[in-house]
Amino acid sequence: MDHEYYSKERSASLDLLLRFQRLLVSKLYPGDCVGQVPNTYNPDLLGVGSLLKKYTALLCTHISDILPVATSIASTSHRHFAEVSYVVDGDLTGILLPELVVSVVLLLSKNAGLMQEAGAIPLLAGLLEHLDRFNHLAPGKERDDNEDLAWPGIMGSFFTGQSCRNNEEVTLIRKADLENHNKDGGFWTVIDGKVYDIKDFQTQSLTGNSIL
C-alpha cells in the first residue's frame, strides 16, 4: 500500500533518491564502530560517510537555489505562500530534507565521532538562513511566536511593540486571583506588572524554590 501511495505522489527519480538516502543512513547506523575513537573507523564506513557528505552537498545546493525563489514568490500574498508551500512540500526540500535532518541527528547521537568525520552537518547548517526566511512568511507566524514565548494574553504586546491598552487579548489578573492560583499549586509571579507562569521552570531551576 505504501509503495502504491508513494508511486502516485512522487516521481520515480525522487523515490529513487529517497531510497538511496535511506541506504546511506542504514549503512552508517548502528554500525560496529560505536564508541571507537576517531581515525580508527572502518574504511568502508568512512567511504559511506564521504558519500553522505557529497549527497548532502548536492541536496543543499538544490535547496539553496530553490528556497530564495520560493521566498520571493511566497512574499507576494498568503495565497502565494500556500501555493508555493504545496510545491516545495512535493519537492526535494519537503520530501528528502526532513528525513535527512532527523537521520543525521539520530546518527549524531549514536556516533558523533563518525558524523564529524563525515562532515555533512555543517552543510545542513548552511540552509538555516534560507529556511528561516521562508518560514517567517507563514501566516500567523507572529501569533505563534508570541504563544510559544509568553503566557497567553499577557505578553503579546511586549513582542509586537503595541500598547497593552490597544491589545484586545490582554487578560487582567487580580491579585486575589493570583494568590488563589498559587495556593492551588500554581506558580504565577508578577514582574513589571506582567504575569508569568514559571511552574515548568520551577522543576528545572537549580536555585531552589525559596529564591524563586
Side-chain angles (χ1 to χ4, degrees):
M1 291 178 62
D2 287 343
H3 177 73
E4 182 181 354
Y5 171 77
Y6 286 131
S7 64
K8 293 179 180 178
E9 295 294 323
R10 291 197 298 257
S11 66
S13 58
L14 189 55
D15 191 61
L16 184 61
L17 280 173
L18 183 59
R19 293 185 181 188
F20 176 69
Q21 177 176 298
R22 290 174 175 174
L23 178 62
L24 289 176
V25 173
S26 68
K27 291 295 183 181
L28 292 171
Y29 178 89
D32 299 325
C33 63
V34 176
Q36 290 187 18
V37 296
N39 302 323
T40 63
Y41 297 111
N42 185 318
D44 291 341
L45 278 179
L46 293 177
V48 176
S50 178
L51 196 57
L52 177 64
K53 180 180 179 181
K54 181 66 175 179
Y55 169 81
T56 304
L58 293 173
L59 180 62
C60 290
T61 298
H62 169 80
I63 296 174
S64 297
D65 291 338
I66 291 294
L67 278 182
V69 178
T71 301
S72 177
I73 299 174
S75 62
T76 306
S77 68
H78 289 171
R79 178 182 177 186
H80 284 79
F81 179 85
E83 293 293 336
V84 170
S85 297
Y86 179 79
V87 173
V88 170
D89 192 46
D91 179 68
L92 304 182
T93 309
I95 295 177
L96 299 181
L97 181 62
E99 186 171 312
L100 178 62
V101 170
V102 173
S103 299
V104 167
V105 171
L106 179 63
L107 291 171
L108 185 63
S109 68
K110 294 295 183 181
N111 199 335
L114 179 60
M115 291 306 297
Q116 290 174 356
E117 286 283 331
I121 297 176
L123 299 173
L124 291 171
L127 295 177
L128 290 177
E129 184 176 351
H130 294 299
L131 291 167
D132 198 44
R133 288 177 180 173
F134 183 78
N135 289 334
H136 268 70
L137 299 175
K141 185 270 304 180
E142 292 183 359
R143 182 189 68 248
D144 293 340
D145 283 351
N146 291 348
E147 292 176 354
D148 287 341
L149 293 171
W151 191 64
I154 294 296
M155 290 297 290
S157 59
F158 177 83
F159 292 101
T160 59
Q162 300 173 353
S163 170
C164 286
R165 296 178 181 176
N166 296 330
N167 191 339
E168 297 179 356
E169 296 184 357
V170 167
T171 301
L172 298 179
I173 305 295
R174 298 178 302 169
K175 183 178 179 180
D177 295 332
L178 184 141
E179 293 175 348
N180 290 333
H181 177 81
N182 288 348
K183 287 179 181 178
D184 293 335
F187 209 146
W188 289 354
T189 187
V190 179
I191 302 175
D192 294 334
K194 298 181 176 67
V195 177
Y196 296 83
D197 187 350
I198 58 174
K199 180 68 175 179
D200 292 338
F201 179 74
Q202 178 185 8
T203 59
Q204 305 172 13
S205 174
L206 302 178
T207 61
N209 290 338
S210 58
I211 296 179
L212 288 178

